Amino acid sequence: MEGFGERLRALRQESGIGQIQLAQELNVGKSIISLWEQDKCEPTLSKLVAMANYFSVSLDFLAGLED
């Protein structure tokens, strides 16, 4: 089963953006994006909403509740 970090990495790569650009869009440090992608920590709800809006996906998709 694909985890949040894998989904985030895939969305970012499909969009053709790097960790630095995504970090700037979400107003976090690049290291936070890396930690999220490695499933070493989880984003806050407000950051999840920002990511869902940025990538035009649902929160359920980000959470792995739907494909």
Side-chain angles (χ1 to χ4, degrees), residues 8-18 21-22 54-56:
L8 176 58
R9 181 180 295 117
L11 284 169
R12 183 178 57 73
Q13 291 174 340
E14 288 170 12
S15 297
I17 63 169
Q21 183 178 347
L22 182 57
Y54 182 80
F55 291 115
S56 298

Side-chain angles (χ1 to χ4, degrees), residues 24-46:
Q24 290 170 342
E25 292 289 337
L26 299 174
N27 199 29
V28 298
K30 178 202 169 283
S31 61
I32 294 297
I33 303 298
S34 178
L35 289 171
W36 290 343
E37 288 186 357
Q38 295 174 50
D39 288 318
K40 291 190 176 181
C41 71
E42 297 178 348
T44 62
L45 179 57
S46 63

Side-chain angles (χ1 to χ4, degrees), residues 53-66:
N53 288 332
Y54 182 80
F55 291 115
S56 298
V57 297
S58 70
L59 288 174
D60 284 350
F61 176 81
L62 283 176
L65 299 175
E66 67 179 38

